[in-house]
Amino acid sequence: MKTKSGQIVLRQPLQAHRTGERTDMAEPTPPDNPGTGSAARKRSGRRRPTIPVYGAIDLGTNNCRMLLAQRTSSGFQVIDAFSRVVRLGEGLNAHGVLSEGAMDRAVDALRVCADKLGRHAQIRHRAIATQACREATNGVEFLERVKAETGIAFDLITPEEEARLALHGCLDLLDEGKDAALVIDIGGGSTELSWVDLAAWRERGGLQSGGRPPVRSWSSTPVGVVTLAERFPEREDREAWYQDMKSYARQLMKTPRGARSMRSLFSEGRAHLVGTSGTVTSIAGVHLRLPRYERAKVDGLWMSCAEAEAACTRLRVLDLAGRSKEPTIGHDRAELVLAGCAIYEAVAELWPAENLRVGDRGLREGLLLNLMRRNKSRRRKKKSPGETST
């Protein structure tokens, strides 16, 4: 939610509109409040301390995204944001390497990120790369090129860390009244699932305790919207084509041992789903029939799984031109959204629940919260036992 002072707390950590068109999205830094500029410093006779800035960059198979934020008492306030469709994983399925064109697009986007990072004197950031760079034989070589040309050093994270970060970005979307949740993060090249024990978290104090819920199991399936759409080019027999995509995604999804004991919680209505990807926010936008994408109406939305299925059905009867005309889809997402719907429905059929919670957030928010939490812990360790804050 947004407070009167303009702070954004955890419930909605980023106020940005998302469309299906290829655009750069950036939010200007809010103007200084009266009395906080150089004139105020002259009057007080001393310079105010610089407020640290935290940055998170997520280079995925389809998008390059960045958030810059400052810590607040209740979460963080976003001061700048950037997102660009780069399609880094384009053609990876067929050739096993990142193409020159895809790498050039990603580097161009990351130059913008580097410029934004360079505007802040005191900044801590982390940049991560995911499935496309993990899978490509030239993925590590590409990240070395990125560092040489932009100065940004990337961590090539594991699927397990990717799942964990997606979960950390949406903790306040979990319903502590339920006993379990399945967090679904559908990316461009992979899909991460996390099975969360809400009953144990509730006993520990839940979200208010500041602790994180136990993850009983997680999985990463090497299928995402880009890889699935490339493997199954759109056909005229759209229904059969869609079912082929869903069947393929379902066959790849294995149930890890730790998740098997939680099946009864889903069949008994004691669990819910959480979707953190662009696929799920697109489904929500179609369900709400929004004239344009509005994050404030989508992030945190509760939908019944029947409503989500109905939105998927509405999309799959449309051809590419029809999907492009959907206000919350647009041209770029029109090519990929049905692949995402097929993956979502495959998961929902394997793990049936009554309700789905929608989150317009993910890895970047998880990165930011981890950076801020780590910095806070370090400050505490530096204090001597008898030291107090001034």
Side-chain angles (χ1 to χ4, degrees):
M1 68 179 64
K2 203 167 185 177
T3 65
K4 291 181 180 179
S5 63
Q7 290 184 352
I8 301 171
V9 299
L10 232 59
R11 175 64 63 187
Q12 294 179 355
L14 170 60
Q15 295 288 348
H17 292 169
R18 177 159 54 195
T19 70
E21 300 178 11
R22 176 174 177 162
T23 56
D24 296 343
M25 298 191 303
E27 294 186 1
T29 302
D32 290 336
N33 293 324
T36 62
S38 59
R41 287 195 295 270
K42 289 179 181 178
R43 288 195 299 271
S44 66
R46 62 182 180 181
R47 185 181 295 273
R48 290 181 181 272
T50 302
I51 301 176
V53 174
Y54 297 86
I57 302 174
D58 168 23
L59 180 60
T61 302
N62 196 48
N63 296 285
C64 173
R65 298 186 177 104
M66 182 179 75
L67 283 183
L68 298 181
Q70 292 175 324
R71 186 205 299 273
T72 69
S73 59
S74 52
F76 57 78
Q77 178 182 5
V78 172
I79 61 172
D80 205 351
F82 172 80
S83 178
R84 184 183 292 180
V85 175
V86 296
R87 299 212 176 197
L88 181 61
E90 188 174 59
L92 178 59
N93 229 17
H95 307 293
V97 296
L98 303 175
S99 69
E100 289 298 325
M103 290 189 290
D104 289 344
R105 290 193 297 269
V107 169
D108 285 344
L110 290 169
R111 287 195 180 102
V112 178
C113 295
D115 177 68
K116 290 177 177 292
L117 291 174
R119 297 174 190 175
H120 301 278
Q122 187 176 347
I123 186 166
R124 292 191 64 220
H125 76 277
R126 189 183 182 201
I128 61 169
T130 55
Q131 182 66 13
C133 291
R134 284 196 298 259
E135 186 177 345
T137 57
N138 59 343
V140 173
E141 179 184 344
F142 165 66
L143 295 180
E144 291 172 352
R145 173 191 167 187
V146 168
K147 184 176 181 180
E149 296 188 22
T150 70
I152 302 175
F154 272 82
D155 292 332
L156 184 55
I157 65 171
T158 64
E160 181 178 8
E161 184 173 7
E162 187 173 354
R164 179 169 54 82
L165 288 170
L167 169 62
H168 290 175
C170 63
L171 290 182
D172 65 328
L173 298 181
L174 299 172
D175 180 4
E176 296 176 46
K178 295 290 186 179
D179 290 337
L182 174 57
V183 179
I184 308 165
D185 181 23
I186 303 171
S190 64
T191 297
E192 277 66 48
L193 304 177
S194 299
W195 286 265
V196 185
D197 189 337
L198 297 180
W201 194 37
R202 183 169 60 241
E203 291 177 2
R204 299 176 188 177
L207 184 65
Q208 296 303 317
S209 71
R212 292 171 177 175
V215 177
R216 294 307 179 201
S217 194
W218 69 275
S219 73
S220 179
T221 303
V223 62
V225 296
V226 174
T227 52
L228 190 61
E230 288 187 352
R231 183 174 288 273
F232 291 89
E234 189 160 353
R235 308 192 305 255
E236 289 187 8
D237 55 336
R238 194 170 299 108
E239 182 61 30
W241 162 69
Y242 184 84
Q243 294 303 325
D244 285 346
M245 288 196 294
K246 187 164 71 171
S247 296
Y248 177 78
R250 182 166 178 161
Q251 289 169 11
L252 289 179
M253 291 177 182
K254 308 301 181 184
T255 301
R257 181 178 300 176
R260 294 171 191 167
S261 62
M262 303 183 79
R263 279 206 175 277
S264 60
L265 300 178
F266 286 80
S267 61
E268 295 168 7
R270 296 158 59 193
H272 74 97
L273 306 181
V274 179
T276 69
S277 65
T279 291
V280 178
T281 58
S282 295
I283 291 171
V286 170
H287 163 67
L288 294 173
R289 298 182 182 269
L290 297 176
R292 62 182 177 85
Y293 187 84
E294 294 184 63
R295 183 182 184 277
K297 292 183 178 179
V298 170
D299 186 58
L301 176 71
W302 280 105
M303 299 175 63
S304 71
C305 288
E307 289 171 334
E309 182 182 352
C312 291
T313 301
R314 178 182 166 190
L315 284 171
R316 75 171 181 257
V317 300
L318 300 174
D319 60 12
L320 181 63
R323 297 194 301 271
S324 297
K325 293 177 183 177
E326 283 287 326
T328 59
I329 304 297
H331 175 70
D332 275 349
R333 289 188 181 277
E335 295 181 297
L336 303 175
V337 69
L338 283 183
C341 288
I343 295 170
Y344 163 74
E345 286 201 89
V347 176
E349 288 174 5
L350 287 168
W351 296 90
E354 184 177 348
N355 293 313
L356 165 70
R357 191 80 185 272
V358 180
D360 185 352
R361 59 183 80 184
L363 298 182
R364 295 172 302 164
E365 288 80 4
L367 280 170
L368 286 174
L369 291 171
N370 275 3
L371 284 171
M372 292 174 183
R373 182 172 183 167
R374 199 173 303 158
N375 195 50
K376 189 175 182 179
S377 298
R378 286 176 180 172
R379 288 204 310 271
R380 286 174 178 169
K381 288 179 181 179
K382 287 180 180 179
K383 292 180 180 180
S384 62
E387 184 182 356
T388 58
S389 300
T390 57

